[in-house]
């Protein structure tokens, strides 16, 4: 496998930092940029410690088309993995224009910069929130598309922009639809560090476990699921990162674009997540059932077969593995990247 020069947008984020390490471990040369809107510069030193080398980095915003183009040319980039974007469902409902500007207009700016720099490969961070939540799982890539919030709409729009641009030019693109990323690198040097109150289940559970919060609110226990609580497909962030390495390697083999789920194919309920976290942290994690959160689906988990057939990738780690790694990160970094 020849090595590639890969640029990561949003490289200091939760997903981006783990992908940087996975790419380096597979022999690729990694460069990246970020505007630190939702991440910490401290991540760069942590990644450098793990990889034993510092990556070429620039503080850039997706709107800086010309600056991105020269960064890509300077670093002789072969392909881009596009992670930079806003990702809170609730925030996207409150501030839709900001989400369309950053996630959609920002992606168009990036694609124009790639055109200027003659970079013809992109792997895009899409999401399972593009799927209509009122359908049964497992969800294949041909499941009904029906986002119910601006965040999900931005993701399907960028997928379509990439598909159309690839059909009209020499661009090749792979849209990866993430299910629910959890866990952390086993070194505990990098991990999920949400700004403010976590919207997602796992970081909230782990902040309760480490004593930063009082109890987990279970958003409803009357769903059509085995124990009544919501079921999701929790994929270890290191498996997710390996999926991106497989995708960037696959760009050379596709003609225009493809869309692939990254999930485990296993559904786990809220109660099962809490129980797995209690085993990992070796303590009780207080929790209480409250009313449903609007818009939540009963069940959502992937049919991951296309990833296995087309990328030769399959998740290797379990929910228990993710809880052990997530707990190690939380326990050793109770305040995330900010020093206490
Ligand atoms: C998981 C389950 C909740 C918090 C979201 C985004 C999606 C993706 C992943 C970016 C549900 C329940 C949650 C809590 C709870 N992000 N829950 N108490 O909603 O499946 O997906 O994150 O791509 O785009 O939509 O993940 O972690 O918010 O919820 O009971 O404090 O946990 O009801 O059943 P979700 P989540």
């Amino acid at each position: 496998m020849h090595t590639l020069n890969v640029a990561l947008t949003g490289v200091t984020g939760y997903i981006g930092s783990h992908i940087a390490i996975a790419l380096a471990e597979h022999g690729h040369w990694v460069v990246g940029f970020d505007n630190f809107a939702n991440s910490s510069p401290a991540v760069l030193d942590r990644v450098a410690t793990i990889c034993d080398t510092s990556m070429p980095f620039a503080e850039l915003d997706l709107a800086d088309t010309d600056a991105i183009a020269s960064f890509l040319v300077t670093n002789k980039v072969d392909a881009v993995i596009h992670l930079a974007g806003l990702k809170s469902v609730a925030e996207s409902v409150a501030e839709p224009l900001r989400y369309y500007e950053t996630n959609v207009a920002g992606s168009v700016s990036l694609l124009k910069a790639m055109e200027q720099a003659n970079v013809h490969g992109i792997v895009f961070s899409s999401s399972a929130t593009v799927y209509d939540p009122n359908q049964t799982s497992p969800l294949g890539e041909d499941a009904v598309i029906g986002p119910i919030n601006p965040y999900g709409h931005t993701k399907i729009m960028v997928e379509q922009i990439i598909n159309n641009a690839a059909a009209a030019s020499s661009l090749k693109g792979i849209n990866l639809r993430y299910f629910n990323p959890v866990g952390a690198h086993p070194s505990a040097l990098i991990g999920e560090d949400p700004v403010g109150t976590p919207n997602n289940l796992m970081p909230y559970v782990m902040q309760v476990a480490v004593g930063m919060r009082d109890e987990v609110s279970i958003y409803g226990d009357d769903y059509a699921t085995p124990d009544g609580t919501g079921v999701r497909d929790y994929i270890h962030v290191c498996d997710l990162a390996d999926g991106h390495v497989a995708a960037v390697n696959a760009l050379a083999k596709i003609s225009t674009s493809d869309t692939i789920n990254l999930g485990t194919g296993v559904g786990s309920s809220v109660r099962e997540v809490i129980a797995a976290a209690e085993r990992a942290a070796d303590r009780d994690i207080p929790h209480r059932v409250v009313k449903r959160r609007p818009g939540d689906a009963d069940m959502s988990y992937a049919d991951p077969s296309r990833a296995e057939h087309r990328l030769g990738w399959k998740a290797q780690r379990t929910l228990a593995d993710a809880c052990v790694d997530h707990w190690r990160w939380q326990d050793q970094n109770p305040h995330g990247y900010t020093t206490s």
Side-chain angles (χ1 to χ4, degrees), residues 80-332:
V80 171
I81 300 182
H82 180 29
L83 305 147
L86 302 174
K87 62 159 200 147
S88 162
V89 166
E91 191 182 59
S92 78
V93 174
E95 302 178 63
L97 291 184
R98 182 164 157 247
Y99 271 67
Y100 286 109
E101 182 175 44
T102 301
N103 291 2
V104 181
S107 296
V108 171
S109 169
L110 171 68
L111 288 163
K112 286 167 67 179
M114 288 172 62
E115 211 172 37
Q116 283 177 34
N118 277 317
V119 176
H120 304 299
I122 186 167
V123 173
F124 172 57
S125 164
S126 188
S127 168
T129 26
V130 303
Y131 293 120
D132 181 336
N134 301 309
Q135 59 190 312
T136 51
S137 286
L139 297 172
E141 289 81 358
D142 301 328
V144 176
I145 300 298
I148 58 169
N149 51 67
Y151 167 76
H153 280 287
T154 68
K155 289 300 185 180
I156 196 65
M157 285 179 189
V158 176
E159 285 192 18
Q160 286 156 351
I161 290 166
I162 288 171
N163 294 341
N164 295 161
S169 69
S170 49
L171 179 72
K172 297 183 176 184
I174 297 179
N175 299 307
L176 297 177
R177 291 178 180 162
Y178 304 175
F179 280 71
N180 293 59
V182 289
H185 189 266
S187 67
L189 287 173
I190 59 171
E192 189 171 13
D193 183 19
V195 175
T197 306
N199 296 309
N200 295 138
L201 178 67
M202 187 66 85
Y204 201 102
V205 167
M206 290 298 176
Q207 287 188 7
V208 172
V210 83
M212 283 178 65
R213 299 187 188 277
D214 297 335
E215 69 175 13
V216 178
S217 299
I218 297 179
Y219 296 150
D221 67 349
D222 58 350
Y223 287 101
T225 65
D227 68 13
T229 63
V231 169
R232 296 292 184 275
D233 185 330
Y234 296 97
I235 174 171
H236 196 297
V237 65
C238 292
D239 277 330
L240 193 73
D242 290 341
H244 286 72
V245 176
V248 83
N249 289 337
L251 283 169
K253 290 182 280 185
I254 64 170
S255 53
T256 53
S257 64
D258 202 354
T259 297
I260 298 175
N261 287 337
L262 289 187
T264 66
V266 175
S268 302
S269 74
V270 176
R271 288 195 186 280
E272 287 171 327
V273 169
I274 293 171
E278 289 181 328
R279 286 191 291 275
D282 191 23
R283 66 192 66 188
D284 290 337
I285 297 175
H287 50 275
R288 184 162 56 91
V289 177
V290 299
K291 64 183 178 27
R292 289 184 172 199
R293 178 174 66 178
D296 277 346
D298 298 56
M299 296 179 98
S300 170
Y301 57 90
D303 168 357
S305 52
R306 182 179 287 184
E308 191 167 1
H309 296 148
R310 297 189 188 175
L311 302 181
W313 172 90
K314 187 174 167 60
Q316 303 298 311
R317 300 163 179 88
T318 64
L319 175 65
D321 297 329
C323 286
V324 166
D325 291 335
H326 209 128
W327 168 246
R328 187 185 303 112
W329 151 257
Q330 191 74 64
D331 186 34
Q332 294 183 19

